[in-house]
Amino acid sequence: MATTSLSKAEKSYIQAGLLATPPQRIDGRDLFDFRTVALETGVAPLSNGSARLNIGKDPQDGGGGTGVIAATKLEVENVEEDGTDGGRLVCSVTCSPAAYPHLSPGALDDLQQDMTTILHQTLSHPSLHPANLGILPRKKAWLLNLDVVVLSDAGNVYDALFMAARAALYDTKVPRTRLVEMHSTKIAQKSWNTTDGMDVDQSAPSGLDTRQAPPAQDFDLVDYWDEGEELDGRTRWPVSITLNIVSSSYFLDGNLQEEAAVPLRILLVFSFLDVNAPTVQATRMLGSGEIQLDQIKSLLSDGQKYAWEIFSSLTAKLKDEDVRRTLKDRERFVTRQ
Amino acid sequence: MASSRIEVLNQGGYRSDGRKQHELRSIAIDLAPQGVADGAATITHGLTTVLVSVFGPREAKLRSQTLHDRATISVEVGVAAFSTGERRKRSKGDKRLLELASTIKATFEPVIQTALYPRSQIDIYLHVLEQDGSLLQTCINGTTLALINAGIPLLDFVCAVSGGVHVASPLLDLNQLEENDVPHLTLALMPKTKKITLVTMETRLHVERFEEIFRLAARAAEVIHQEMRAAIRIKANTLVASMGSTRATVDGTDRDGNHMDED
């Protein structure tokens, strides 16, 4: 999936630098250094949760870097038609042609299809499913659409995708709903009769009828000062770490040229309940290279360490953003007319 | 989305978002570079945001598309699925988007000095991030800024503004609500020569009302021009300052009427 064309000489120059002692990268970073990550949540006002993320922005002119916007939107779905009970999550990734100016439209479609598949398969896994996407059991549920737009690619786009997706999902607020029951006049009549103490309950559910309809028929949105409750399990959403493999060593957060120069990249996606309870949510090998089995084991444990670093610092930043924005909302509520 | 009984213009002369009849929405312009684009601009009119990246002039991907005496221009518009109230994914072949792209292309073809770059191509990519009415206006203004930022020679700025007529009162810079209710047009003006490069109207409007809104929109376009020029000046000044040049700033050298945006 090399999106940059690189000459043989450039390739071997980059590889030789990475394998030298001490290793040298073209932008002077250490092998395991990340570029600066900038994150802001709440960037799309018409969405239920959103985030804008940039890796490696130039501090001087504010340009460059890998730029991604992720936003979630909730829709009500009929479970009978095409929804699933308890709601579902659908991810899609769109790449702006500006991010890949030398790709043909067909190749761009393929690329965004690849990214969509990885993101969707990982995030829609049952182990990560939020519990509060159901509205009316067996009738209505939320469809959570996660749309990610890649605005520019300066390398390491998968890590950016997962971080932005995690931030947008963390930021998502599910509107509060209240179930509405509709009583038929017959029932109303009966309950009126009960006050006389004369009524015999005739419509007791038959023991043979296994398909008891839920009593609630419809739902209603609750008017409250905030936009809803946060999505359940929002601390669970995973982060990914891409290990760029050059023979026996590896490095993190490669830029476009470095990515084009390495034969193999391994994508590891981790979720953490805490530092001691990691789960691997997905792995992918990208590129044409191959790797020894025993090397994978050490890569996996190293990857877990770096993923935890990303995970914990991302969580800290998201909490910061949450406080900043919730405070702003509260103040606006207090100072309203 | 459009509740039918929203008052477009109330008795006090205010619109649904609290603006006066002739008031424009706030404009925010960001000229920071985007990725590897030669020039980029993010422009916001109220709650409508568009990101424009310009590549070129560069060698065309397809040799067959080149012209021997001038550059070709290609415009592509993408809309983020979360930009509207109702989520809707528009594919690349969507008629509405193709039409928008071809309108933008037709607007800029006479303005870009394509004859300077034979056998090459200029790519303009627009990405709509938020929509709240006046989309074409935002796209055109953003494209002007991105082209200038990329250093592509233009004859002049192209400044667009939308206008509508509610009963008999003209309104400027419509938001989505007003756009759904009111006959509206979009006009693009080249401020130096006062030439019009685009007028579009998809709704019906009484011919006697047209001249009034047309003149008003042309005046509003000049106001928008001031804003765009100020943003370009600030950008140019920082560029000049970072070159460490001892020459006078842009504001000093611009008094003879020359725009310095072309270099």
Side-chain angles (χ1 to χ4, degrees), chain A residues 74-128:
Chain A
L74 287 159
E75 272 171 48
V76 178
E77 229 181 10
N78 273 330
V79 172
E80 287 100 338
E81 281 162 30
D82 39 14
T84 36
D85 205 10
R88 63 191 176 115
L89 169 67
V90 176
C91 307
S92 80
V93 180
T94 320
C95 297
S96 163
Y100 301 96
H102 40 255
L103 285 189
S104 67
L108 196 66
D109 278 348
D110 288 351
L111 182 66
Q112 58 196 28
Q113 190 59 44
D114 285 355
M115 292 181 182
T116 302
T117 311
I118 293 190
L119 199 67
H120 179 73
Q121 283 181 347
T122 313
L123 295 185
S124 65
H125 191 267
S127 64
L128 295 170

Side-chain angles (χ1 to χ4, degrees), chain A residues 15 18 244-246 251 257-265:
Chain A
Q15 283 180 350
L18 291 166
N244 302 274
I245 318 275
V246 227
F251 63 96
Q257 289 90 333
E258 286 171 335
E259 284 187 346
V262 298
L264 177 66
R265 295 185 293 144

Side-chain angles (χ1 to χ4, degrees), chain B residues 142-220:
Chain B
T143 308
T144 307
L145 291 166
L147 284 168
I148 292 171
N149 205 7
I152 291 172
L154 305 180
L155 293 172
D156 198 356
F157 279 70
V158 183
C159 304
V161 74
S162 67
V165 180
H166 174 64
V167 194
S169 10
L171 311 171
L172 284 173
D173 196 6
L174 308 182
N175 62 23
Q176 187 72 60
L177 253 166
E178 293 162 341
E179 215 168 65
N180 290 340
D181 264 14
V182 157
H184 58 276
L185 60 89
T186 302
L187 169 145
L189 173 93
M190 293 161 71
K192 220 193 295 180
T193 52
K194 306 267 188 297
K195 278 186 186 159
I196 306 289
T197 52
L198 167 90
V199 188
T200 59
M201 186 163 69
E202 290 173 10
T203 40
R204 293 190 306 163
L205 180 63
H206 197 281
V207 71
E208 280 169 18
R209 297 272 162 238
F210 184 80
E211 186 180 343
E212 188 186 5
I213 185 67
F214 186 81
R215 288 192 186 283
L216 190 69
R219 268 172 54 208

